Structures are given as structure tokens and as C-alpha cells.
Amino acid sequence: MTQLKFLSQAPRFLFFTGKGGVGKTSIACATAVHLAEAGQQVLLVSTDPASNVGQVFGISIGNQITAIPRIAGLAALEIDPQAAAQAYRDRIVGPVRGVLPDAVVKGIEEQLSGACTTEIAAFDEFTALLIDSAMTAGYGHIVFDTAPTGHTIRLLQLPGAWSGFLEEGKGDASCLGPLAGLEKQRGQYKAAVAALADPKRSRLILVARAQLSTLREVARTHEELDAIGLSRQYLVINGILPQAEAAQDPLATAICQREQLALATMPAVLEALPCDLIELKPFNVLGLEALRQLLTTTTATPHTEAITPAIQTPNLSTLVDDIAINGHGLVMLMGKGGVGKTTLAAAVAVDLAQRGLPVLLTTSDPAAHLGETLVGVLDNLTVSRIDPHTETERYRQHVLETKGAKLDTQGRALLEEDLRSPCTEEIAVFQAFSRIIREAGKKFVVMDTAPTGHTLLLLDATGAYHREVARQMASGIHYLTPMMQLQDSKQTKVLLVTLAETTPVLEAANLQADLRRAGIEPWAWVINNSVAAATVHSPLLRQRAANELREINAVAHQHAKRYAVVPLLQDEPVGVGKLLEMTRPPLRKP
């Protein structure tokens, strides 16, 4: 195997981080196998809520160190973030239950219900693996699937006694709750963060796909980690279609061209990083043989004239037919980064507008080309663009001028730090969205980049934080009105966007569970960029199409009440005509 840069002189700790569906679990597993077969003692650790490490190896792992059969020197551990978060909540809430009023306890539980708590609880579990301990003493390498985010590390670096701050009633903002009771572990956390920042001991590997949007997100992650001292990073761009697959296949040719454009125009901050390219493989990365082949260069598959025709599945137009019946309403597209929900929101908006219905497309996506393409093209389609940075800064200033004015110097410093969290941006953007939600009573409002279930739970909490947010809503808008509308399936239709791959489907299922906890029932799922829904000649893409069928079947029969599949298109869906191809794909002859 050609030596990859991220494996060269590998330090003891290797962290793989990236969005769902980019292949970080597969690459982490393949790395662990490679190091173990080179004679090292290796521990593979997953903190991913949708972990499929056990599935990759074909065994049950769980929250205990488990030897991997047939690989001497390799063991694995799956930290269950949800179980860790529940244990964490119990440690914090248990001592005050029956002591504090029930309403206060419920407020604490709500604050501890979201993603911030899960992140920190998982970090609490694996910090023990970053310091010298009997449990890890025998391992030369520890490989982590899903590193902590810069947000989590920044919170754990904060000074001060969090418990006392909370007990005095000064800290009821979005991410302060999860830090209650951390003072006892602060020494361990400090040592763990120091290990992460030491390039002789740790290496962070950013995993991405050769897509413009994905590379932009990775660039933001790089800058966030760099800002807190984790500057020694590597970049792995996974799943690049081999050029040989483009022969006599227009779809494969288009994919290759898009990927080469993304690589040629990647953000400048990524160009300086050591970078490895890993080719797309025709097989699912399950089992040892697949893992051994993942980090190698694929031998070109002989060309064949055989084709794989597109499968017959509901298309997006079928969903739009049902949405259009009421003549107005709120349509929200939710999903993890990189699944294409911004473009799908534009496609739904265009399809509704083409039917003669008034539509407002609301997005916080920084890619202005959608607005430039749509505005003025259809008379009954308008675009409202929300700038997350502007809205977040406005929200921060308002909170500091109101709540912050009542705090002492230490309290104000802690509040300022908390207002830098991702939760703050979500809430600020939601407030901006809520100001236009009422327009859905007379037209269609199609909303992209919707808030997560975690944010909605915070906004609907019954404690002090809920009341504070309610007071901060724009003048004239009742706080409960947007929440009640989101929870009313007659007024709001939530579309969950995913890809026909294992991790994105699991992540969408987790988001669905989060939304249900907030009283919001997703109306439909949309599987985007499906190879199985396209007609392909490339042998590699034909195999990928076959691999998608299991995930499509899982969505159809396990997760979704209704669903649609959008095929992977040859051309970028920019402009009315191309966007309509997403909802009404043209019939293609084999």
C-alpha cells in the first residue's frame, strides 16, 4: 500500500472527524487494521451516536473493550453517547431532586436534554483514554472515530466553578446546564485537552468528500479547531470516482468533472494541509477484506456494455402534489450537512411556483447563486435570505444588554462564552425564521436550514431559559405561535433529507426521534442523490446502486410514513429547468 500522509509516523492518538456519510468510520477502522497488522497494539474507539463499528467488523462490541477476531493486537470500544448522557444527567439531577421545586428540576432536565450534553458526556467518557491509565497502558495507538468538536473543547477550557455559578441562578443559557458538576473532573479534562493539542501525541484527520459544500464545511471545522490550539491537522478526501469509470457513461463523466472542480477550487485554508485522496470503492466497507482494500488504489474495472436501469420509486413530485393541495403552508427541510437540503428546498419551491402558487423560499445558506437564479424568473416566487452571522450578532448583543447587565464580571464572561456556541446561532436563526412563519397562512413558505430538535426542545422548555427566550422574541410575535405551528401537521410539513447510505440514514432517524420529542412529527423523507434511481453504465456505479437498495428499503419500511427518491443528476441543479428535474426527472432511455 502506498504510504498515506495521515499514516506517516502516526502518533499515539488519531482522531477522525467529519460530517455523516463522508466515510470517517470506515477510514478509522481501516487505519486501525493497518496499524495492528503492522505489529502495533491498537484500540479503536467510537463515540459516534450512529456507530456502526461493530457492523463493519461483523461482531457486537458495545461499551466494553472487545478483541477483534482474526486481527492480533486490535481491540475496539463503542462509547454509547446516549447512555453516557443519561448517566451524566442522573449524576447532576439526582442530588437536587426532591430538594429544589419540581419546576426547577424540570428546567434542568430540559437543559440537559440536548446535543451539548451528549457531546460533553461522551467527552467525559473518553478523556480517561487520553491520559495515562491502566486501561490503555498496553496500546501503542488509540484511534478515535468522531473527535470532539471545537465547541465542546472550548467549553471544557473555560475557567471558573460552573456548579457554583449555576446554583446562584446566574447561568441559564443554552449550554451552561451540561457543565454543572464538572469541577471535579477539571484536572482530567485539562490533561486531555493538552494531549489533543500536542502534535507529538495526537493527530486530527478531517474527512471530507470532493464536493464544494462539504469542503466549505470542513474549512470551517479546521478554523474552529485551529482557533483553540489544535493546529496540526490532516485532510482526507474520500470517495473520489476513478477516471476510468467515466468511459461511455455520461453520469460518471459528470461526477468526475464536478469532483475535479471541487478539488481545484477548495478553500485556501485546506490547501495548506497534508492531503490524501481515497478512491470510491464499488463495495460496502464491511469485513476485513474490504477494510484492507479501502486505503489502496483500485484496479480499473473492465468496461462492459451492461447497464443498470433506474429503480421505480416515488419521486419528489408525488410529495409536492400532496403539499400543493392546501394552497398554502409551511414546508421545512431538515437534515445533516452535505445531504443537499438547500437545493431540494429550492426545487420544492420552484415546483410549487410552477403550479401557479405563491411561494416564499427562505434560506440561511451562504451560496447566493440560488437567489440569483430564482429571483425574477418566476413572478410568484420570492427568496428571503437570512444571514446567520448578522442574526447571531444581533441576538448576542440583545442578551448581553439585557441579561448581561445584571451579572458580575465573572458571570458576564461566562455568558459571553456561552453565546459563542452553535446553539446560539440556531436560536438566533430560528427567531429570524419565526418572524416570517406567519406568512404561511396565505402562501407557501419553504424553509431551508431548519433548527434541530435540540434547539426546539430548548425553545419549548418550561424553565427560566424558556421564559427568557420568550421575552427576547421580536415585538408583536407570541413565542408559542411558531412552535404550535411547527407541531401542527396540517400547517407544517417537515421533510427529512438524507442519502442512501448507512450513516446518513441513521442520523436522519436520530433527528426524527429528536423532533418527535419536541412534538414535531416528520411528514416525509427524501433520499437525495441516489445512484439507484439513475440509469448507469459504469461498473462501479452499478455496484453502488445495488448497495443503496438496503438503505432505501429501510427508509421505506422502517422509518418513513411516506418518502421520495431523487436521482443523482448529470448536471448541477442550478436554474429552474435543472431544479425541476429533481422533482420531475425526465424519462431516460437505457
Side-chain angles (χ1 to χ4, degrees):
M1 180 181 75
T2 303
Q3 182 67 58
L4 298 169
K5 295 182 181 69
F6 77 89
L7 284 173
S8 178
Q9 297 180 319
R12 189 180 188 210
F13 302 116
L14 293 166
F15 289 87
F16 292 88
T17 187
K19 295 292 184 182
V22 296
K24 63 182 181 295
T25 296
S26 299
I27 295 174
C29 291
T31 297
V33 169
H34 171 74
L35 293 171
E37 292 189 331
Q40 300 290 322
Q41 294 292 314
V42 181
L43 177 62
L44 173 62
V45 181
S46 173
T47 62
D48 193 331
S51 176
N52 60 340
V53 169
Q55 182 183 15
V56 169
F57 287 104
I59 63 171
S60 177
I61 296 175
N63 196 24
Q64 58 185 356
I65 294 178
T66 303
I68 302 297
R70 297 168 52 201
I71 301 287
L74 178 59
L77 167 67
E78 288 181 324
I79 294 174
D80 182 347
Q82 300 303 327
Q86 186 56 53
Y88 191 86
R89 284 190 287 269
D90 291 343
R91 290 204 307 272
I92 294 174
V93 178
V96 300
R97 197 182 300 279
V99 177
L100 297 178
D102 290 344
V104 174
V105 173
K106 186 174 182 179
I108 295 172
E109 288 176 332
E110 287 290 354
Q111 290 197 20
L112 295 172
S113 67
C116 295
T117 296
T118 304
E119 269 186 23
I120 293 172
F123 192 77
D124 188 40
E125 291 269 314
F126 75 72
T127 47
L129 304 173
L130 294 175
I131 60 176
D132 294 331
S133 69
M135 181 171 61
T136 60
Y139 296 103
H141 293 285
I142 302 180
V143 178
F144 290 89
D145 171 26
T146 304
T149 66
H151 165 227
T152 305
I153 297 169
R154 187 170 60 241
L155 287 171
L156 294 169
Q157 287 177 318
L158 295 180
W162 287 99
S163 298
F165 182 75
L166 289 165
E167 287 166 3
E168 292 170 19
K170 298 177 181 177
D172 58 357
S174 61
C175 293
L176 296 184
L179 292 168
L182 291 188
E183 192 62 31
K184 293 179 181 178
Q185 288 98 338
R186 190 158 296 280
Q188 178 171 308
Y189 291 158
K190 185 177 180 180
V193 171
L196 282 169
D198 183 354
K200 294 181 180 179
R201 289 187 284 170
S202 299
R203 181 172 295 172
L204 279 84
I205 299 106
L206 308 174
V207 184
R209 290 286 178 95
Q211 300 165 347
L212 292 172
S213 61
T214 305
L215 290 172
R216 283 196 294 265
E217 289 189 22
V218 169
R220 287 194 290 270
T221 301
H222 161 70
E223 291 174 330
E224 181 183 39
L225 293 169
D226 184 64
I228 55 175
L230 308 186
S231 56
R232 191 61 173 136
Q233 301 172 32
Y234 286 67
L235 176 64
V236 173
I237 301 179
N238 187 37
I240 294 178
L241 185 65
Q243 294 279 352
E245 295 293 325
Q248 301 181 43
D249 189 330
L251 180 58
T253 300
I255 293 171
C256 287
Q257 291 173 346
R258 287 204 294 266
E259 290 180 345
Q260 292 307 309
L261 176 63
L263 294 175
T265 58
M266 76 167 65
V269 294
L270 298 181
E271 291 180 354
L273 299 182
C275 179
D276 292 302
L277 306 181
I278 297 178
E279 290 185 347
L280 184 69
K281 301 299 188 292
F283 48 80
N284 282 328
V285 185
L286 298 172
L288 291 179
E289 289 309 311
L291 290 171
R292 288 176 178 133
Q293 295 178 56
L294 179 61
L295 303 182
T296 63
T297 300
T298 303
T299 301
T301 307
H303 178 68
T304 173
E305 294 300 324
I307 63 167
T308 298
I311 60 171
Q312 298 301 308
T313 56
N315 61 41
L316 192 55
S317 184
T318 304
L319 298 184
V320 180
D321 288 343
D322 291 340
I323 292 171
I325 291 173
N326 290 336
H328 64 85
L330 178 62
V331 182
M332 301 178 75
L333 286 93
M334 298 189 183
K336 296 291 185 178
V339 296
K341 62 183 182 297
T342 299
T343 304
L344 280 170
V348 170
V350 165
D351 196 320
L352 289 168
Q354 283 283 83
R355 299 165 188 245
L357 299 165
V359 182
L360 169 62
L361 170 62
T362 303
T363 178
S364 62
D365 178 55
H369 69 271
L370 284 178
E372 293 168 356
T373 301
L374 297 174
V375 172
V377 175
L378 296 174
D379 292 338
N380 46 348
L381 174 63
T382 55
V383 177
S384 169
R385 190 170 308 284
I386 294 170
D387 183 347
H389 299 293
T390 301
E391 297 297 336
T392 303
E393 187 56 34
R394 181 183 300 160
Y395 175 82
R396 285 177 180 143
Q397 290 303 318
H398 180 76
V399 174
L400 289 171
E401 290 169 4
T402 53
K403 183 190 296 185
K406 307 171 187 177
L407 301 177
D408 57 23
T409 302
Q410 181 193 24
R412 187 176 175 87
L414 291 169
L415 179 60
E416 287 177 345
E417 180 63 34
D418 181 61
L419 287 171
R420 297 189 192 107
S421 85
C423 306
T424 300
E425 179 175 311
E426 287 181 1
I427 292 167
V429 170
F430 179 79
Q431 288 197 7
F433 278 143
S434 69
R435 292 194 291 268
I436 64 167
I437 283 178
R438 63 180 182 272
E439 295 191 38
K442 54 188 178 182
K443 65 173 65 172
F444 279 106
V445 175
V446 181
M447 186 178 293
D448 165 46
T449 315
T452 66
H454 164 231
T455 304
L456 295 169
L457 280 171
L458 285 172
L459 289 168
D460 203 32
T462 56
Y465 181 62
H466 161 74
R467 292 191 296 273
E468 185 62 35
V469 172
R471 286 195 295 271
Q472 294 166 12
M473 291 296 286
S475 176
I477 300 178
H478 192 276
Y479 170 70
L480 292 179
T481 300
M483 257 328 270
M484 292 172 64
Q485 182 161 346
L486 298 183
Q487 293 167 338
D488 185 348
S489 60
K490 295 180 180 178
Q491 300 184 65
T492 301
K493 289 182 170 56
V494 173
L495 309 183
L496 291 184
V497 183
T498 187
L499 304 175
E501 299 173 13
T502 303
T503 301
V505 169
L506 288 172
E507 288 185 337
N510 288 337
L511 175 56
Q512 178 165 264
D514 251 358
L515 292 171
R516 285 172 171 168
R517 287 172 57 222
I520 298 171
E521 182 62 31
W523 182 73
W525 283 47
V526 179
I527 301 171
N528 194 26
N529 289 336
S530 170
V531 180
T535 298
V536 293
H537 297 255
S538 156
L540 190 152
L541 291 183
R542 286 164 48 210
Q543 186 58 55
R544 298 286 300 182
N547 295 342
E548 287 186 355
L549 298 181
R550 184 184 68 174
E551 302 306 329
I552 294 172
N553 185 65
V555 170
H557 296 101
Q558 297 177 29
H559 302 304
K561 293 182 178 178
R562 58 181 64 81
Y563 76 104
V565 180
V566 177
L568 181 61
L569 301 176
Q570 284 183 217
D571 302 317
E572 288 282 7
V574 175
V576 171
K578 295 301 180 184
L579 288 168
L580 282 173
E581 284 189 28
M582 300 186 75
T583 59
R584 310 171 190 178
L587 294 176
R588 297 182 185 274
K589 294 181 180 180

